[in-house]
Amino acid sequence: MSARFMEQVENLFINLPRQEKKVAKVTLQKPAAVRKMNITELAKAAGVGVATVSRFTKRVGCKNFADFKLALVTPDTMQRETEDSVSTPNDIHNYYQKILSETMAMVSTKQLRQAANLIHDAKRVYVFGIGSSGYNAQEFTQRLLRMGIAAFAMTESNMMTIASSTMSSDDLVIALSVSGSTPEVCSAVRDSHKNGATIISVTAFRNSLLGKMSDMIFQIKSTELVGDYDFINSQFAVTYVIDMLTQILLKFPDFRQTMNKTVESILVTKEKTNKYNRHL
C-alpha cells in the first residue's frame, strides 16, 4: 500500500466523521510516530476512544490495527524514523518544500493553460474566498484588474449571494477554499453554476462539496495534513497556484500589454505624489 495508502486516507479525510478525522489527521501528520504506537496510544494522541480508531482502520480498508500500521510503511516514514526528533529551523523549510512539491505534482501546465483560456474568454471573473482565502481572492483580483480583466473579489457572504444570482454563461467563478466545504463559498458556487457560470476551484479535496460542483479543480496539498506546526500559512499552496496561473496569463500579449501600461501608470502617479509632497 505505502504512499498510495496515505493518498487514500487523505482523499477520504474530508468526508470522514468528525471523530475519525482526528485519527486521520494524526496519521497523516505523523505516520512514523503512529507506526510505533499501539491502538490505545493512537486513541489518546487523537483524543478519541479506541473504538473510533478501530472503525477508522476498517474504513480505510485495513483488517485490523496491525494491518493498518503495516500500511504506513513508506520510504518517507522510514527516513523520518532515523532522523532526530528535535525540531530545527530547517523543519519549516522542509515543510514548505513538501507542500510545494506535492502541489506541483497535482497541477499540470496543460491545466493552467486551460484555466488561462477560460479567464481570457470570460466576460467577467469573480473570485470567491472567505477568511484567509479572502485575502488571496483580493490579491488575485488585483492582478487580474491590472491585466485589464473585469474581475471582482467576493469575500463576504452577502456579496457572493448577490453576485451568484446575476451570473450568466459568460461568467467565470474562481472559488478558493482549502477545505472545499466553506458554507458561504459552496452556496454561492451552487447558485452560480445553476445560472450557467463556469466554476474553477482551488481546494485540497477533490471529492469535497466544492470539488463536486466544479468544472475544473486545482488540487493542492493541505498544510493541515502535512505537519502539526502552529501558525503555518494555510494559504501557501493556494498562493502557489495563483502565482503559476498569473505567469501563464501574462503570456497573452493583450494581458501583458495592459499590465505594463497599468504598472507605468502607477509609477507615474507615485512620482507625481512624491513631487507634490516635496513641495509642501
Side-chain angles (χ1 to χ4, degrees):
M1 290 187 244
S2 63
R4 255 182 106 175
F5 175 73
M6 298 298 285
E7 184 180 342
Q8 175 189 336
V9 174
E10 188 166 336
N11 288 337
L12 288 172
F13 181 83
I14 194 66
N15 294 317
L16 289 173
R18 183 174 59 86
Q19 291 296 89
E20 290 182 34
K21 273 185 180 179
K22 296 178 181 179
V23 184
K25 189 172 179 180
V26 174
T27 300
L28 291 166
Q29 288 179 345
K30 303 176 180 179
V34 171
R35 281 193 62 230
K36 299 177 181 178
M37 297 178 184
N38 58 41
I39 192 168
T40 303
E41 290 169 335
L42 177 54
K44 184 177 180 180
V48 300
V50 170
T52 299
V53 177
S54 182
R55 284 194 299 272
F56 169 74
T57 58
K58 287 182 172 59
R59 194 184 299 275
V60 295
C62 298
K63 297 177 182 177
N64 49 45
F65 188 70
D67 188 36
F68 169 72
K69 287 176 66 174
L70 186 62
L72 293 176
V73 179
T74 68
D76 182 50
T77 56
M78 292 176 70
Q79 180 182 354
R80 291 187 197 181
E81 288 178 350
T82 65
E83 294 174 349
D84 189 350
S85 61
V86 178
S87 296
T88 69
N90 286 334
D91 288 344
I92 302 300
H93 173 269
N94 294 336
Y95 176 83
Y96 278 137
Q97 190 174 49
K98 183 175 178 65
I99 295 293
L100 286 179
S101 62
E102 295 200 22
T103 297
M104 190 190 314
M106 294 186 284
V107 177
S108 69
T109 301
K110 179 181 179 181
Q111 185 184 25
L112 288 165
R113 286 173 179 162
Q114 289 174 339
N117 285 329
L118 288 173
I119 292 172
H120 186 272
D121 296 339
K123 184 177 181 181
R124 291 177 293 265
V125 178
Y126 295 88
V127 189
F128 289 176
I130 293 288
S132 296
S133 292
Y135 296 121
N136 264 330
Q138 292 174 333
E139 166 64 23
F140 192 34
T141 299
Q142 279 197 21
R143 297 184 189 186
L144 297 177
L145 287 169
R146 290 185 180 190
M147 295 182 212
I149 299 167
F152 308 87
M154 300 286 112
T155 60
E156 192 271 328
S157 59
N158 287 337
M159 292 304 296
M160 283 187 196
T161 299
I162 294 170
S164 62
S165 67
T166 61
M167 295 281 179
S168 72
S169 58
D170 295 326
D171 295 322
L172 174 67
V173 172
I174 301 174
L176 312 180
S177 173
V178 176
S179 70
S181 58
T182 308
E184 300 90 341
V185 173
C186 288
S187 177
V189 164
R190 183 185 296 108
D191 291 342
S192 299
H193 200 271
K194 284 180 180 178
N195 287 324
T198 300
I199 311 297
I200 297 176
S201 65
V202 182
T203 181
F205 303 100
R206 181 173 292 275
N207 59 345
S208 64
L209 179 57
L210 175 60
K212 291 174 181 176
M213 294 189 291
S214 302
D215 299 294
M216 178 182 291
I217 304 170
F218 283 105
Q219 188 173 0
I220 60 174
K221 185 69 176 181
S222 170
T223 56
E224 182 184 16
L225 303 183
V226 174
D228 60 349
Y229 298 101
D230 294 325
F231 298 109
I232 289 292
N233 183 2
S234 64
Q235 295 292 307
F236 188 63
V238 178
T239 303
Y240 181 49
V241 170
I242 287 174
D243 286 345
M244 289 191 290
L245 189 50
T246 299
Q247 288 303 107
I248 297 291
L249 286 168
L250 286 173
K251 294 186 183 297
F252 286 94
D254 51 340
F255 287 169
R256 170 61 73 177
Q257 184 178 4
T258 305
M259 171 68 88
N260 292 339
K261 187 185 297 184
T262 54
V263 169
E264 179 65 23
S265 178
I266 291 170
L267 291 174
V268 169
T269 300
K270 284 184 177 179
E271 186 177 341
K272 288 180 179 178
T273 301
N274 290 336
K275 284 183 180 179
Y276 174 79
N277 289 337
R278 282 197 297 269
H279 285 86
L280 288 179

